[in-house]
mmCIF file of all heavy atoms in Angstrom:
data_model
loop_
_atom_site.group_PDB
_atom_site.id
_atom_site.type_symbol
_atom_site.label_atom_id
_atom_site.label_comp_id
_atom_site.label_asym_id
_atom_site.label_seq_id
_atom_site.Cartn_x
_atom_site.Cartn_y
_atom_site.Cartn_z
ATOM 1 N N GLN C 1 -72.894 -105.975 -151.132
ATOM 2 C CA GLN C 1 -73.333 -104.626 -151.462
ATOM 3 C C GLN C 1 -74.088 -104.620 -152.782
ATOM 4 O O GLN C 1 -75.096 -103.935 -152.936
ATOM 5 C CB GLN C 1 -72.125 -103.700 -151.531
ATOM 6 C CG GLN C 1 -71.426 -103.501 -150.186
ATOM 7 C CD GLN C 1 -70.195 -102.636 -150.314
ATOM 8 O OE1 GLN C 1 -70.085 -101.838 -151.237
ATOM 9 N NE2 GLN C 1 -69.261 -102.795 -149.391
ATOM 10 N N ALA C 2 -73.585 -105.388 -153.761
ATOM 11 C CA ALA C 2 -74.236 -105.430 -155.067
ATOM 12 C C ALA C 2 -75.632 -106.027 -154.977
ATOM 13 O O ALA C 2 -76.529 -105.685 -155.743
ATOM 14 C CB ALA C 2 -73.384 -106.242 -156.049
ATOM 15 N N ALA C 3 -75.808 -106.957 -154.011
ATOM 16 C CA ALA C 3 -77.110 -107.591 -153.839
ATOM 17 C C ALA C 3 -78.074 -106.712 -153.044
ATOM 18 O O ALA C 3 -79.199 -107.106 -152.775
ATOM 19 C CB ALA C 3 -76.940 -108.935 -153.134
ATOM 20 N N GLY C 4 -77.590 -105.536 -152.640
ATOM 21 C CA GLY C 4 -78.456 -104.611 -151.919
ATOM 22 C C GLY C 4 -78.595 -104.928 -150.448
ATOM 23 O O GLY C 4 -79.496 -104.426 -149.784
ATOM 24 N N GLN C 5 -77.681 -105.776 -149.908
ATOM 25 C CA GLN C 5 -77.766 -106.105 -148.494
ATOM 26 C C GLN C 5 -77.202 -104.947 -147.668
ATOM 27 O O GLN C 5 -76.248 -104.279 -148.068
ATOM 28 C CB GLN C 5 -76.970 -107.379 -148.209
ATOM 29 C CG GLN C 5 -77.525 -108.591 -148.922
ATOM 30 C CD GLN C 5 -76.660 -109.810 -148.687
ATOM 31 O OE1 GLN C 5 -75.724 -109.774 -147.909
ATOM 32 N NE2 GLN C 5 -76.988 -110.892 -149.365
ATOM 33 N N ARG C 6 -77.768 -104.747 -146.511
ATOM 34 C CA ARG C 6 -77.291 -103.696 -145.630
ATOM 35 C C ARG C 6 -75.942 -104.095 -145.062
ATOM 36 O O ARG C 6 -75.710 -105.252 -144.739
ATOM 37 C CB ARG C 6 -78.282 -103.468 -144.491
ATOM 38 C CG ARG C 6 -79.631 -102.976 -144.954
ATOM 39 C CD ARG C 6 -80.552 -102.838 -143.780
ATOM 40 N NE ARG C 6 -80.024 -101.880 -142.799
ATOM 41 C CZ ARG C 6 -80.577 -101.673 -141.609
ATOM 42 N NH1 ARG C 6 -81.646 -102.363 -141.255
ATOM 43 N NH2 ARG C 6 -80.056 -100.804 -140.784
ATOM 44 N N PRO C 7 -74.994 -103.146 -144.936
ATOM 45 C CA PRO C 7 -73.696 -103.486 -144.353
ATOM 46 C C PRO C 7 -73.867 -103.935 -142.912
ATOM 47 O O PRO C 7 -74.762 -103.463 -142.206
ATOM 48 C CB PRO C 7 -72.905 -102.168 -144.446
ATOM 49 C CG PRO C 7 -73.949 -101.102 -144.511
ATOM 50 C CD PRO C 7 -75.113 -101.714 -145.256
ATOM 51 N N LYS C 8 -72.995 -104.823 -142.495
ATOM 52 C CA LYS C 8 -73.086 -105.323 -141.123
ATOM 53 C C LYS C 8 -72.723 -104.217 -140.144
ATOM 54 O O LYS C 8 -71.938 -103.319 -140.434
ATOM 55 C CB LYS C 8 -72.148 -106.529 -140.945
ATOM 56 C CG LYS C 8 -72.626 -107.743 -141.709
ATOM 57 C CD LYS C 8 -71.765 -108.945 -141.368
ATOM 58 C CE LYS C 8 -72.265 -110.178 -142.101
ATOM 59 N NZ LYS C 8 -73.611 -110.545 -141.696
ATOM 60 N N SER C 9 -73.271 -104.316 -138.946
ATOM 61 C CA SER C 9 -72.988 -103.336 -137.920
ATOM 62 C C SER C 9 -71.533 -103.429 -137.498
ATOM 63 O O SER C 9 -70.852 -104.406 -137.763
ATOM 64 C CB SER C 9 -73.889 -103.584 -136.702
ATOM 65 O OG SER C 9 -75.243 -103.553 -137.061
ATOM 66 N N LEU C 10 -71.092 -102.368 -136.826
ATOM 67 C CA LEU C 10 -69.750 -102.397 -136.273
ATOM 68 C C LEU C 10 -69.777 -103.149 -134.948
ATOM 69 O O LEU C 10 -70.728 -103.058 -134.182
ATOM 70 C CB LEU C 10 -69.230 -100.974 -136.056
ATOM 71 C CG LEU C 10 -69.027 -100.148 -137.332
ATOM 72 C CD1 LEU C 10 -68.486 -98.773 -136.971
ATOM 73 C CD2 LEU C 10 -68.083 -100.845 -138.293
ATOM 74 N N TYR C 11 -68.702 -103.891 -134.696
ATOM 75 C CA TYR C 11 -68.633 -104.700 -133.487
ATOM 76 C C TYR C 11 -67.380 -104.351 -132.702
ATOM 77 O O TYR C 11 -66.357 -103.976 -133.269
ATOM 78 C CB TYR C 11 -68.607 -106.188 -133.837
ATOM 79 C CG TYR C 11 -69.761 -106.638 -134.682
ATOM 80 C CD1 TYR C 11 -69.580 -106.950 -136.022
ATOM 81 C CD2 TYR C 11 -71.036 -106.744 -134.144
ATOM 82 C CE1 TYR C 11 -70.655 -107.358 -136.807
ATOM 83 C CE2 TYR C 11 -72.107 -107.147 -134.917
ATOM 84 C CZ TYR C 11 -71.905 -107.455 -136.251
ATOM 85 O OH TYR C 11 -72.956 -107.853 -137.018
ATOM 86 N N ARG C 12 -67.460 -104.518 -131.400
ATOM 87 C CA ARG C 12 -66.283 -104.409 -130.532
ATOM 88 C C ARG C 12 -66.108 -105.775 -129.884
ATOM 89 O O ARG C 12 -66.912 -106.197 -129.065
ATOM 90 C CB ARG C 12 -66.489 -103.322 -129.468
ATOM 91 C CG ARG C 12 -66.486 -101.920 -130.040
ATOM 92 C CD ARG C 12 -66.771 -100.885 -128.966
ATOM 93 N NE ARG C 12 -65.841 -100.968 -127.845
ATOM 94 C CZ ARG C 12 -64.632 -100.431 -127.854
ATOM 95 N NH1 ARG C 12 -64.189 -99.797 -128.931
ATOM 96 N NH2 ARG C 12 -63.845 -100.525 -126.803
ATOM 97 N N ILE C 13 -65.056 -106.475 -130.296
ATOM 98 C CA ILE C 13 -64.837 -107.834 -129.834
ATOM 99 C C ILE C 13 -63.521 -107.912 -129.077
ATOM 100 O O ILE C 13 -62.458 -107.626 -129.630
ATOM 101 C CB ILE C 13 -64.803 -108.821 -131.010
ATOM 102 C CG1 ILE C 13 -66.110 -108.712 -131.805
ATOM 103 C CG2 ILE C 13 -64.592 -110.247 -130.522
ATOM 104 C CD1 ILE C 13 -66.167 -109.633 -132.980
ATOM 105 N N PRO C 14 -63.527 -108.290 -127.790
ATOM 106 C CA PRO C 14 -62.277 -108.388 -127.031
ATOM 107 C C PRO C 14 -61.526 -109.656 -127.389
ATOM 108 O O PRO C 14 -62.108 -110.731 -127.477
ATOM 109 C CB PRO C 14 -62.765 -108.421 -125.577
ATOM 110 C CG PRO C 14 -64.126 -109.044 -125.662
ATOM 111 C CD PRO C 14 -64.711 -108.587 -126.970
ATOM 112 N N PHE C 15 -60.220 -109.529 -127.612
ATOM 113 C CA PHE C 15 -59.357 -110.679 -127.862
ATOM 114 C C PHE C 15 -58.307 -110.744 -126.767
ATOM 115 O O PHE C 15 -57.933 -109.743 -126.185
ATOM 116 C CB PHE C 15 -58.663 -110.541 -129.222
ATOM 117 C CG PHE C 15 -59.537 -110.908 -130.376
ATOM 118 C CD1 PHE C 15 -60.509 -110.035 -130.828
ATOM 119 C CD2 PHE C 15 -59.405 -112.125 -131.003
ATOM 120 C CE1 PHE C 15 -61.323 -110.366 -131.892
ATOM 121 C CE2 PHE C 15 -60.219 -112.467 -132.062
ATOM 122 C CZ PHE C 15 -61.171 -111.591 -132.518
ATOM 123 N N GLY C 16 -57.786 -111.949 -126.550
ATOM 124 C CA GLY C 16 -56.733 -112.126 -125.558
ATOM 125 C C GLY C 16 -57.147 -113.161 -124.545
ATOM 126 O O GLY C 16 -57.733 -112.860 -123.524
ATOM 127 N N ILE C 17 -56.871 -114.444 -124.852
ATOM 128 C CA ILE C 17 -57.301 -115.546 -123.998
ATOM 129 C C ILE C 17 -56.114 -116.442 -123.709
ATOM 130 O O ILE C 17 -55.274 -116.677 -124.568
ATOM 131 C CB ILE C 17 -58.402 -116.370 -124.677
ATOM 132 C CG1 ILE C 17 -59.627 -115.492 -124.938
ATOM 133 C CG2 ILE C 17 -58.800 -117.575 -123.857
ATOM 134 C CD1 ILE C 17 -60.732 -116.193 -125.663
ATOM 135 N N GLY C 18 -56.051 -116.966 -122.499
ATOM 136 C CA GLY C 18 -55.036 -117.962 -122.163
ATOM 137 C C GLY C 18 -53.631 -117.464 -122.432
ATOM 138 O O GLY C 18 -53.199 -116.444 -121.917
ATOM 139 N N ALA C 19 -52.908 -118.215 -123.287
ATOM 140 C CA ALA C 19 -51.507 -117.899 -123.557
ATOM 141 C C ALA C 19 -51.362 -116.542 -124.228
ATOM 142 O O ALA C 19 -50.286 -115.943 -124.204
ATOM 143 C CB ALA C 19 -50.892 -118.986 -124.438
ATOM 144 N N HIS C 20 -52.428 -116.047 -124.844
ATOM 145 C CA HIS C 20 -52.353 -114.791 -125.562
ATOM 146 C C HIS C 20 -52.980 -113.647 -124.767
ATOM 147 O O HIS C 20 -53.268 -112.597 -125.332
ATOM 148 C CB HIS C 20 -53.044 -114.917 -126.926
ATOM 149 C CG HIS C 20 -52.475 -116.010 -127.768
ATOM 150 N ND1 HIS C 20 -51.189 -115.992 -128.224
ATOM 151 C CD2 HIS C 20 -53.017 -117.176 -128.207
ATOM 152 C CE1 HIS C 20 -50.950 -117.087 -128.931
ATOM 153 N NE2 HIS C 20 -52.046 -117.817 -128.932
ATOM 154 N N ALA C 21 -53.180 -113.854 -123.471
ATOM 155 C CA ALA C 21 -53.838 -112.824 -122.672
ATOM 156 C C ALA C 21 -53.041 -111.528 -122.684
ATOM 157 O O ALA C 21 -53.609 -110.440 -122.610
ATOM 158 C CB ALA C 21 -54.036 -113.309 -121.238
ATOM 159 N N SER C 22 -51.701 -111.637 -122.777
ATOM 160 C CA SER C 22 -50.882 -110.437 -122.777
ATOM 161 C C SER C 22 -51.101 -109.612 -124.031
ATOM 162 O O SER C 22 -50.726 -108.445 -124.096
ATOM 163 C CB SER C 22 -49.404 -110.810 -122.665
ATOM 164 O OG SER C 22 -49.005 -111.595 -123.772
ATOM 165 N N ARG C 23 -51.714 -110.226 -125.047
ATOM 166 C CA ARG C 23 -51.965 -109.528 -126.302
ATOM 167 C C ARG C 23 -53.401 -109.012 -126.370
ATOM 168 O O ARG C 23 -53.885 -108.685 -127.445
ATOM 169 C CB ARG C 23 -51.715 -110.461 -127.488
ATOM 170 C CG ARG C 23 -50.313 -111.012 -127.527
ATOM 171 C CD ARG C 23 -50.067 -111.729 -128.831
ATOM 172 N NE ARG C 23 -50.325 -110.823 -129.960
ATOM 173 C CZ ARG C 23 -50.289 -111.228 -131.219
ATOM 174 N NH1 ARG C 23 -50.049 -112.481 -131.505
ATOM 175 N NH2 ARG C 23 -50.519 -110.375 -132.195
ATOM 176 N N ALA C 24 -54.067 -108.984 -125.238
ATOM 177 C CA ALA C 24 -55.475 -108.595 -125.229
ATOM 178 C C ALA C 24 -55.675 -107.251 -125.913
ATOM 179 O O ALA C 24 -54.940 -106.304 -125.705
ATOM 180 C CB ALA C 24 -55.993 -108.527 -123.792
ATOM 181 N N THR C 25 -56.671 -107.182 -126.745
ATOM 182 C CA THR C 25 -56.997 -105.966 -127.462
ATOM 183 C C THR C 25 -58.479 -105.984 -127.766
ATOM 184 O O THR C 25 -59.143 -106.994 -127.581
ATOM 185 C CB THR C 25 -56.183 -105.861 -128.766
ATOM 186 O OG1 THR C 25 -56.464 -104.610 -129.387
ATOM 187 C CG2 THR C 25 -56.531 -106.982 -129.734
ATOM 188 N N VAL C 26 -58.997 -104.885 -128.202
ATOM 189 C CA VAL C 26 -60.392 -104.820 -128.628
ATOM 190 C C VAL C 26 -60.397 -104.484 -130.107
ATOM 191 O O VAL C 26 -59.851 -103.469 -130.533
ATOM 192 C CB VAL C 26 -61.181 -103.754 -127.840
ATOM 193 C CG1 VAL C 26 -62.591 -103.623 -128.407
ATOM 194 C CG2 VAL C 26 -61.235 -104.134 -126.373
ATOM 195 N N MET C 27 -60.985 -105.373 -130.899
ATOM 196 C CA MET C 27 -61.061 -105.166 -132.336
ATOM 197 C C MET C 27 -62.408 -104.553 -132.665
ATOM 198 O O MET C 27 -63.450 -105.076 -132.274
ATOM 199 C CB MET C 27 -60.872 -106.491 -133.080
ATOM 200 C CG MET C 27 -59.490 -107.074 -132.907
ATOM 201 S SD MET C 27 -59.334 -108.689 -133.681
ATOM 202 C CE MET C 27 -59.722 -108.285 -135.379
ATOM 203 N N THR C 28 -62.377 -103.449 -133.376
ATOM 204 C CA THR C 28 -63.599 -102.757 -133.756
ATOM 205 C C THR C 28 -63.722 -102.756 -135.271
ATOM 206 O O THR C 28 -62.755 -102.525 -135.976
ATOM 207 C CB THR C 28 -63.584 -101.304 -133.247
ATOM 208 O OG1 THR C 28 -63.414 -101.322 -131.836
ATOM 209 C CG2 THR C 28 -64.875 -100.597 -133.589
ATOM 210 N N GLY C 29 -64.912 -103.032 -135.765
ATOM 211 C CA GLY C 29 -65.134 -103.002 -137.205
ATOM 212 C C GLY C 29 -66.231 -103.957 -137.598
ATOM 213 O O GLY C 29 -66.887 -104.553 -136.751
ATOM 214 N N SER C 30 -66.439 -104.106 -138.890
ATOM 215 C CA SER C 30 -67.438 -105.040 -139.377
ATOM 216 C C SER C 30 -66.918 -106.462 -139.217
ATOM 217 O O SER C 30 -65.718 -106.689 -139.021
ATOM 218 C CB SER C 30 -67.744 -104.781 -140.851
ATOM 219 O OG SER C 30 -66.621 -105.129 -141.650
ATOM 220 N N ALA C 31 -67.821 -107.424 -139.310
ATOM 221 C CA ALA C 31 -67.402 -108.823 -139.222
ATOM 222 C C ALA C 31 -66.387 -109.145 -140.307
ATOM 223 O O ALA C 31 -65.431 -109.897 -140.083
ATOM 224 C CB ALA C 31 -68.621 -109.738 -139.350
ATOM 225 N N THR C 32 -66.542 -108.567 -141.494
ATOM 226 C CA THR C 32 -65.612 -108.823 -142.591
ATOM 227 C C THR C 32 -64.229 -108.273 -142.272
ATOM 228 O O THR C 32 -63.213 -108.927 -142.509
ATOM 229 C CB THR C 32 -66.134 -108.196 -143.901
ATOM 230 O OG1 THR C 32 -67.365 -108.823 -144.243
ATOM 231 C CG2 THR C 32 -65.138 -108.401 -145.036
ATOM 232 N N HIS C 33 -64.155 -107.070 -141.692
ATOM 233 C CA HIS C 33 -62.867 -106.495 -141.347
ATOM 234 C C HIS C 33 -62.185 -107.300 -140.252
ATOM 235 O O HIS C 33 -60.965 -107.508 -140.285
ATOM 236 C CB HIS C 33 -63.050 -105.041 -140.899
ATOM 237 C CG HIS C 33 -63.462 -104.127 -142.008
ATOM 238 N ND1 HIS C 33 -64.180 -102.979 -141.806
ATOM 239 C CD2 HIS C 33 -63.280 -104.218 -143.349
ATOM 240 C CE1 HIS C 33 -64.411 -102.384 -142.965
ATOM 241 N NE2 HIS C 33 -63.880 -103.118 -143.912
ATOM 242 N N ILE C 34 -62.967 -107.749 -139.278
ATOM 243 C CA ILE C 34 -62.403 -108.566 -138.213
ATOM 244 C C ILE C 34 -61.887 -109.877 -138.775
ATOM 245 O O ILE C 34 -60.803 -110.353 -138.417
ATOM 246 C CB ILE C 34 -63.456 -108.803 -137.109
ATOM 247 C CG1 ILE C 34 -63.755 -107.484 -136.394
ATOM 248 C CG2 ILE C 34 -62.969 -109.854 -136.117
ATOM 249 C CD1 ILE C 34 -64.928 -107.551 -135.448
ATOM 250 N N ALA C 35 -62.647 -110.480 -139.692
ATOM 251 C CA ALA C 35 -62.212 -111.726 -140.305
ATOM 252 C C ALA C 35 -60.901 -111.548 -141.044
ATOM 253 O O ALA C 35 -60.007 -112.406 -140.981
ATOM 254 C CB ALA C 35 -63.290 -112.235 -141.266
ATOM 255 N N ALA C 36 -60.729 -110.434 -141.747
ATOM 256 C CA ALA C 36 -59.489 -110.171 -142.463
ATOM 257 C C ALA C 36 -58.315 -110.084 -141.497
ATOM 258 O O ALA C 36 -57.208 -110.546 -141.794
ATOM 259 C CB ALA C 36 -59.612 -108.886 -143.274
ATOM 260 N N ARG C 37 -58.540 -109.508 -140.328
ATOM 261 C CA ARG C 37 -57.481 -109.418 -139.309
ATOM 262 C C ARG C 37 -57.089 -110.813 -138.841
ATOM 263 O O ARG C 37 -55.902 -111.101 -138.632
ATOM 264 C CB ARG C 37 -57.979 -108.579 -138.135
ATOM 265 C CG ARG C 37 -57.064 -108.584 -136.909
ATOM 266 C CD ARG C 37 -55.818 -107.745 -137.104
ATOM 267 N NE ARG C 37 -54.948 -107.855 -135.933
ATOM 268 C CZ ARG C 37 -55.102 -107.127 -134.824
ATOM 269 N NH1 ARG C 37 -56.066 -106.242 -134.720
ATOM 270 N NH2 ARG C 37 -54.266 -107.286 -133.810
#
């Protein structure tokens, strides 16, 4: 933000593969917020 870069778009990324399929969810937010999760 300080460098004047535009914030990243919001994303909807589905999670839940293989052994974790029962935990399938859709994570919405910026790439940074998803990374923090």
